[in-house]
Amino acid sequence: MRITAILERPVGLEGAPANAVVNFASHTVSLVALVTDVVQAGKPVVGVAFDSIGRFAQSGILRDRMIPRILAARPETLLGEGDRLDPAAVLACALADEKPGGHGDRAAAAAALELACWDLLAKLDDEPACATIARRFRRDPADAVPVYAAGGYYYPARGVDGLREEMRGYRDLGYDAVKIKIGGATVPEDLARIEAVIDMVGDGGRVAVDANGRFDRAAALQWATALAPYGLRWFEEPGDPLDFELNSAVTAGYDGAVATGENLFSVPDVTNLIRYGGMRPGRDIFQMDAGLSYGLTEYARMLEALEAHGFDRRSAFPHGGHLINLHIAVGLGLGGCESYPGVFQPFGGYGEGCVLVDGRIAPTDAPGFGLEQKSGLTRVIAELTD
């Protein structure tokens, strides 16, 4: 088989949520399609993916560097088992002549291409991507994984009452755990928001808070002290994601769980977090996101690094809140997955066929990642591939 075309389109996110650092009103995502010469039901088989949520579209890197490399490669160099596209080989080709280190936007660009290969492989076997992933990595796929509703962003006209209403909506959908943002208001205002959400869901252990790297060391430690009495599910990204000393200082004085990793894009970065970030096995949470970090090939190596240092892969809860990471969490037997049921459309959340039961959810049987079956994405993918 060979790739006949690679298509990319930047897609804007709906709405304008904001955390303590970023307003997402102008954010975009790169939607990618790999078109092949394999024909099923009279149409070429197409692998579709995107570069997750939270960064910007990577159109320039894809158009000017990575896509031309892949299209210029000898087709046989991109194949693996069964003469099918090998995601690792496609990734290596996309990164040809790139220096090591500096894992930034190119990690997300490469991830979109690599993940599209997994969607393609699953479609060739007419199965959900979680089954393909589990088989490739010799895992038994989970029936379902725990999920939590990530929201609680800052909106200019929404106060505590609006936050309560948002959380009530997630509860009515069946979510029994939620996450909200902190650091974008005064401490008393944020503590009032936390208390309102705990009152709504009934238990601090079902509420996580996310500072999105907002705090310096002093503020992070002050916040850890302020949060301790609430018994929260976790305290996420208290400081800059590469300030491992700050993270270690927080974990040294905070008995609750700390979560981080969504802004680490390589195995060496994750290894440094393990070595120097004070992460505690059995307590803290790793949130690396394959869509921001070179794809599933690199993400699987991150899990190997965790396990080699005594961490259980069930401490991994991928950031991103979308279908691709749900399939990865199910296929690799991870601890759970984030969900964006109310924000970042058309990519956030899961397809209508994904049923939430007792706080757990599974993908549908749709081939691949099932992106074509998700409301909002169906039209965008059709416009790209047609």
Side-chain angles (χ1 to χ4, degrees):
M1 67 181 300
R2 60 185 292 267
I3 298 173
T4 60
I6 302 178
L7 312 173
E8 185 272 345
R9 173 185 172 182
V11 180
L13 299 174
E14 298 174 10
N19 60 35
V21 179
V22 175
N23 186 299
F24 293 93
S26 63
H27 268 233
T28 51
V29 171
S30 275
L31 181 67
V32 168
L34 300 184
V35 185
T36 72
D37 62 353
V38 178
V39 176
Q40 291 181 346
K43 294 183 178 181
V45 181
V46 180
V48 180
F50 52 88
D51 62 335
S52 198
I53 298 166
R55 298 274 161 170
F56 285 91
Q58 310 302 324
S59 303
I61 296 174
L62 288 163
R63 179 189 64 241
D64 298 337
R65 284 156 45 190
M66 294 184 176
I67 292 175
R69 290 168 185 158
I70 294 171
L71 294 179
R74 290 183 290 112
E76 62 271 19
T77 65
L78 303 178
L79 304 182
E81 183 179 335
D83 288 332
R84 292 179 172 183
L85 280 180
D86 178 7
V90 172
L91 176 64
C93 180
L95 295 175
D97 298 321
E98 300 273 347
K99 285 187 175 181
H103 308 286
D105 284 352
R106 72 173 182 194
L113 296 168
E114 197 264 4
L115 290 169
C117 293
W118 291 100
D119 183 67
L120 175 72
L121 292 174
K123 287 173 177 173
L124 290 172
D125 287 327
D126 193 29
E127 65 183 8
C130 56
T132 302
I133 292 167
R135 186 169 59 254
R136 178 64 64 91
F137 291 98
R138 296 180 174 85
R139 307 289 306 183
D140 292 324
D143 293 331
V145 293
V147 291
Y148 63 93
Y153 287 81
Y154 295 100
Y155 298 89
R158 182 184 297 182
V160 172
D161 288 342
L163 178 62
R164 283 178 176 271
E165 189 64 26
E166 179 188 356
M167 297 297 123
R168 182 180 294 111
Y170 297 149
R171 186 190 63 187
D172 292 345
L173 288 173
Y175 289 95
D176 61 6
V178 299
K179 183 173 76 178
I180 68 169
K181 302 300 180 179
I182 61 171
T186 66
V187 173
E189 288 172 334
D190 271 340
L191 291 178
R193 296 172 76 248
I194 292 170
E195 291 169 3
V197 174
I198 292 175
D199 180 64
M200 176 57 60
V201 301
D203 181 4
R206 296 180 181 180
V207 179
V209 298
D210 183 3
N212 291 104
R214 174 69 175 83
F215 303 134
D216 60 18
R217 177 173 174 147
L221 294 175
Q222 290 170 358
W223 263 102
T225 299
L227 295 175
Y230 294 106
L232 299 175
R233 192 179 191 195
W234 65 65
F235 179 15
E236 184 171 330
E237 278 200 321
D240 188 289
L242 290 175
D243 191 340
F244 303 131
E245 185 179 40
L246 181 155
N247 198 81
S248 183
V250 173
T251 60
Y254 180 63
D255 288 337
V258 169
T260 189
E262 73 178 71
N263 291 300
L264 303 181
F265 306 145
S266 71
V267 171
D269 284 339
V270 172
T271 302
N272 281 335
L273 172 63
I274 295 168
R275 288 172 175 167
Y276 309 117
M279 301 295 277
R280 300 159 293 185
R283 185 178 307 182
D284 296 321
I285 303 298
F286 293 87
Q287 299 174 306
M288 294 79 72
D289 182 346
L292 299 177
S293 52
Y294 298 106
L296 183 54
T297 300
E298 185 80 355
Y299 184 79
R301 293 176 59 224
M302 292 176 180
L303 294 179
E304 291 175 359
L306 292 183
E307 293 177 325
H309 288 82
F311 291 88
D312 193 301
R313 66 177 50 215
R314 287 173 294 183
S315 67
F317 282 70
H319 155 270
H322 51 69
L323 273 168
I324 294 177
N325 280 343
L326 177 61
H327 278 270
I328 290 173
V330 169
L332 295 180
L334 307 183
C337 190
E338 185 172 31
S339 175
Y340 289 142
V343 290
F344 301 133
Q345 299 305 316
F347 299 96
Y350 311 132
E352 289 74 8
C354 297
V355 180
L356 184 61
V357 179
D358 296 329
R360 299 169 64 87
I361 202 165
T364 68
D365 291 332
F369 292 122
L371 301 179
E372 292 86 349
Q373 283 71 46
K374 185 181 183 303
S375 176
L377 270 180
T378 304
R379 174 185 55 81
V380 179
I381 292 172
E383 290 174 353
L384 176 66
T385 57
D386 288 348

